[in-house]
Amino acid sequence: MQDWILLALAPVFLLLIALEAWYWRKRRPDQYSLRDTLSNAALALMHQASDAVAWLIVIGIYYAVYAHRLFELPPASLWTIAALFVAQDFFYYWFHRASHRIRWMWASHVTHHSSERLNLSTAFRQSLTYPISGMWLFWLPLAWIGFEPKHIVAVVAINLAFQFFVHTQAVGKLGWLEKIFNTPSHHRVHHARNAKYIDRNYAGVLIVWDKWFGTYVEEDEQVPCEYGIVGQVRGHNPIRLTFHEWSAMFRDAWRARGLRGVFGQLFGPPERSLSHLDATAGREGGR
């Protein structure tokens, strides 16, 4: 169901990408690159294929958990769907935060952050390895609470579809909406690699989670966002963009000393990786 919802919205997404590219054509022509956009599209197709296979495999686990649910919730109630939407967004916040703070999960999520551009096509820039890094585990508590798995999958798709619209520099701040919802301004901060902005604004739909849990930073006009990742990957090869961090992570785990060192390279914060420390030492040595 998730893939069908996103597929149905694909014409809308493509039309808006075309309109945004036209909007920037004379104002800031560097906002779009054909190679970057095609790479984003290839990554999206690879992601959708792996996601469809993953849901076929794990949906049985969801129904097994649902069979032992805590509550009997009305399946088609407006209030049930609204509660599911808020609950899923809450768990999305923690999934997203974990994806930046646990290297095993960052190995998948880094693909999304690896472009030095931020435009609507960047929303398509996803990794096929999310099922391996464990994204689906974060929605399992919803089935245990009592939400039907097919509805969980649908709400996940709606949440991801909403996030397409926040990947843009063409929209400024949106007044009172900034207080409640994730907006393009909030998400520009999230994609920035500036020291002030890095690892902030993890929201999916509701920015309130960031404000409550201390990860919110407002976009500052005096500090323009710089996009990409620390240790930028050059090139547009979708295979390299998908697997470069997995390769570095396993290489670092092999180099690590002792079981604790191996565990730290696989599941510690990304900035403590041996690859990151090597790159930092190289930059300092070259000054």
Side-chain angles (χ1 to χ4, degrees), residues 40-61:
N40 294 343
L43 287 164
L45 292 173
M46 292 161 60
H47 166 72
Q48 286 299 304
S50 72
D51 213 40
V53 172
W55 276 114
L56 288 175
I57 296 171
V58 305
I59 196 66
I61 301 174

Side-chain angles (χ1 to χ4, degrees), residues 224-236:
C225 294
E226 299 175 8
Y227 302 110
I229 57 176
V230 176
Q232 185 62 42
V233 177
R234 307 297 174 183
H236 302 280

